[in-house]
């Protein structure tokens, strides 16, 4: 794959991330579902990782982690590492354990959202002394409602994957 092909491919993936980011940051906060705002950036990280593998998923997760630091009010620099690890783990899981299809993406998305919520809950529970049960209830609702958007996110990234340059094997 040439440098140009590489830049085009990841540039198109970054452009595909823009509607997901816009939906999460500007549209969905005004129309919460059952009082919960869905989280879509981890879904985008997982979708790219499922389609592109562990290395691509980790790199894309790094970029999405940087974006999440600006989007989430409770995010810090650790989210950059967290999203990169989410992409790496989803890529490895679908390369070696699961299938690289929608169902693998759905399972990895559920795991990624669960890890993200666990990190957020533990940090609030230990450092701010907030009640555990309401946070668990909210995290569970957020996970299920966010998973409803997995088909949309996966379809967008699958469309990109089928149209961007691929590495040729001789």
């Amino acid at each position: 794959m040439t440098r140009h092909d590489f830049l085009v491919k990841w540039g198109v993936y970054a452009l595909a991330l823009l509607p997901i980011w816009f939906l999460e940051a500007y549209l969905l906060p005004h129309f919460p579902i059952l009082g919960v705002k869905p989280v879509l950036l981890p879904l985008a990280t997982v979708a790219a990782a499922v389609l592109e593998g562990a290395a691509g998923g980790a790199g894309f997760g790094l970029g999405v982690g940087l974006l999440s630091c600006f989007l989430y009010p409770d995010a810090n620099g650790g989210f950059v590492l967290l999203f990169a690890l989410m992409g790496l783990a989803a890529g490895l899981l679908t390369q070696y354990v699961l299938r690289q299809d929608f169902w693998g993406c759905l399972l990895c998305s559920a795991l990624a959202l669960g890890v993200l919520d666990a990190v957020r809950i533990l940090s609030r529970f230990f450092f701010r002394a907030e009640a555990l049960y309401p946070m668990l209830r909210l995290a569970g609702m957020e996970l299920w409602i966010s998973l409803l958007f997995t088909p949309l996110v996966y379809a967008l990234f699958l469309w990109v994957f089928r149209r961007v340059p691929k590495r040729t094997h001789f």
Side-chain angles (χ1 to χ4, degrees), residues 43-109:
L43 302 179
T45 301
V46 168
V50 166
L51 297 169
E52 291 293 338
F60 192 75
L62 191 69
V64 174
L66 286 170
L67 180 63
S68 72
C69 286
F70 297 112
L71 183 60
Y72 300 133
D74 61 343
N76 56 28
F79 269 48
V80 176
L81 178 63
L82 180 64
F83 273 78
L85 290 175
M86 277 184 205
L88 178 68
L92 287 173
L93 272 173
T94 55
Q95 275 182 302
Y96 298 112
V97 178
L98 305 171
R99 295 181 58 178
Q100 289 180 295
D101 60 1
F102 172 74
W103 298 108
C105 182
L106 186 66
L107 182 59
C108 288
S109 294

Side-chain angles (χ1 to χ4, degrees), residues 16-25 40-41 44 152-153 156-157:
L17 182 63
L18 288 178
I20 303 299
W21 170 72
F22 181 80
L23 190 63
E24 180 176 344
L40 304 181
L41 290 181
L152 172 75
V153 173
L156 176 64
F157 280 86

